[in-house]
Structure formats: structure tokens, C-alpha cells
């Protein structure tokens, strides 16, 4: 089977229902950013330190959810409804519960943290910023077309989740957080 179709050579793409849409349309850009995010989550999984099977499982579940979100977005505006939507409030609640559990072992946060400290923590911060980018794109889409109301809270919580994950990774790797210093302290 050939992977290329040549159908997109003129800047158009097909949505899940077969309808055509410009590749620069808000909807196409939205699921494209979700795909980019998913790829970076996959990279993060490969950066995890040994003994992080629990985190790998959580990340791979999020990858599955990103694919589900992308499939929701791959349908046109007139197909957006509750029978199509998969992202749910339960996903957001799960992220909150996981963050609460992670935070029980972390020191209180009393300063701003710079991305970095280890390869895995740095990649978690890259993913966090990509989640924010996706979230902004999805907000823009929601101003133009219908969007599952569970998506924006989920994405908002997901970026927080990756921030907490970066802290957890540094703790597990026994590495210090990189503290932001005011200009007078540098």
C-alpha cells in the first residue's frame, strides 16, 4: 500500500468524513498541533529514567487520549456533537488526582523553575509548552466552530500535569530544580 496519495499537493486535505478543507484551516491546524504534541510525548517516554514504568504507562495513556482528541478534531464543524466526542471531564479529574498524588512527595513550590535539570525533565517542559500552544489553537478554533466543552479544561490541566511531572522526574533522578533568579541575584 502506498502511503502517499498526492491529494494534498494543492494545499487541501480530507477530513474524517471525506470533505475537503484547506491545510491552513483552524481545524486542520488544531489536530496538526495535537499530532506534534503526541510525538513529543513519545519522545519524553524514551527519555524517562530507568524504573519509570509507572510514568511511561501514564504518558502512553495520554498519547492514546491525544489520538482520540485528534480524531474528534478531524471531523468538520457540522459533525461536532456529543456522539462523536470522546474527551471527557473524567480525563481532567484523573489528571487532577494524579497531580495531587505526585505533589504529596514534592517540596512546596516557593520559586519559579527554569526548564531543564535533566533530559527527561527538560522534555517534560517542552511538552508542557506544546500543550499550551495546542490549547491556544483550540481556543481560537472554539471561537470559530463547535468544540467539545471538555477539551479546554483537559488541555489546561494537562499543561499543569506536565509541569508537575518535570518536578517529579527531577526528584526521581535526584537532581535539583533550576531556580529562576531575579536580575539582582544573578
Amino acid at each position: 500500500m502506498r502511503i502517499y496519495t498526492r491529494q494534498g499537493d494543492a494545499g487541501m486535505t480530507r477530513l474524517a468524513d471525506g470533505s475537503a478543507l484547506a491545510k491552513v484551516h483552524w481545524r486542520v491546524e488544531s489536530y496538526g498541533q495535537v499530532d506534534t504534541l503526541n510525538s513529543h510525548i513519545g519522545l519524553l517516554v524514551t527519555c524517562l529514567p530507568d524504573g519509570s514504568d509507572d510514568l511511561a504507562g501514564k504518558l502512553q495513556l495520554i498519547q492514546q487520549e491525544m489520538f482520540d482528541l485528534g480524531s474528534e478534531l478531524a471531523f468538520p464543524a457540522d459533525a461536532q456533537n456529543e456522539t462523536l466526542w470522546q474527551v471527557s471531564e473524567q480525563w481532567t479529574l484523573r489528571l487532577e488526582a494524579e497531580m495531587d498524588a505526585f505533589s504529596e512527595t514534592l517540596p512546596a513550590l516557593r520559586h519559579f523553575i527554569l526548564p531543564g535539570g535533566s533530559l527527561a525533565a527538560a522534555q517534560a517542559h517542552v511538552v508542557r509548552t506544546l500543550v499550551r500552544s495546542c490549547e491556544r489553537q483550540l481556543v481560537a478554533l472554539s471561537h470559530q466552530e463547535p468544540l467539545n466543552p471538555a477539551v479546554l479544561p483537559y488541555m489546561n490541566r494537562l499543561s499543569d500535569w506536565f509541569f508537575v511531572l518535570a518536578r517529579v522526574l527531577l526528584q526521581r533522578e535526584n537532581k535539583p530544580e533550576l531556580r529562576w533568579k531575579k536580575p539582582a541575584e544573578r
Side-chain angles (χ1 to χ4, degrees):
M1 175 179 145
R2 256 187 354 191
I3 215 59
Y4 61 92
T5 64
R6 298 186 177 122
Q7 292 183 8
D9 292 353
M12 300 295 287
T13 191
R14 298 250 177 235
L15 296 180
D17 72 342
S19 61
L21 202 58
K23 289 184 176 185
V24 295
H25 188 277
W26 289 104
R27 182 163 296 284
V28 177
E29 181 63 25
S30 295
Y31 68 72
Q33 285 196 22
V34 169
D35 188 32
T36 300
L37 170 61
N38 205 353
S39 295
H40 279 275
I41 295 169
L43 178 58
L44 174 55
V45 171
T46 69
C47 295
L48 292 175
D50 291 341
S52 298
D53 291 345
D54 60 325
L55 298 179
K58 291 177 188 319
L59 289 165
Q60 288 165 345
L61 174 59
I62 291 170
Q63 284 191 284
Q64 296 289 335
E65 291 170 345
M66 289 297 100
F67 203 89
D68 294 340
L69 172 56
S71 69
E72 276 187 30
L73 295 170
F75 282 89
D78 60 1
Q80 295 295 317
N81 62 57
E82 292 177 9
T83 59
L84 172 71
W85 295 335
Q86 298 176 65
V87 179
S88 74
E89 180 184 11
Q90 296 307 312
W91 295 10
T92 302
L93 295 173
R94 185 196 77 245
L95 293 175
E96 290 173 352
E98 289 175 358
M99 281 188 286
D100 291 344
F102 286 154
S103 294
E104 288 178 8
T105 67
L106 294 172
L109 189 59
R110 292 190 166 81
H111 52 269
F112 290 106
I113 298 171
L114 298 176
S118 76
L119 179 61
Q123 182 62 22
H125 280 290
V126 168
V127 171
R128 173 187 58 79
T129 63
L130 289 171
V131 173
R132 286 290 186 213
S133 181
C134 284
E135 181 184 17
R136 289 189 300 272
Q137 181 66 36
L138 290 164
V139 167
L141 176 63
S142 74
H143 291 172
Q144 304 294 319
E145 299 183 0
L147 183 68
N148 175 346
V151 168
L152 294 179
Y154 173 73
M155 295 302 285
N156 189 32
R157 219 65 84 248
L158 191 60
S159 65
D160 296 334
W161 191 92
F162 279 102
F163 176 81
V164 174
L165 177 65
R167 296 188 73 210
V168 166
L169 287 165
L170 288 175
Q171 182 184 56
R172 287 187 179 191
E173 295 177 86
N174 201 28
K175 297 196 174 178
E177 294 177 338
L178 303 175
R179 182 177 168 246
W180 172 76
K181 298 175 185 174
K182 295 178 184 178
E185 298 173 345
R186 294 181 212 155

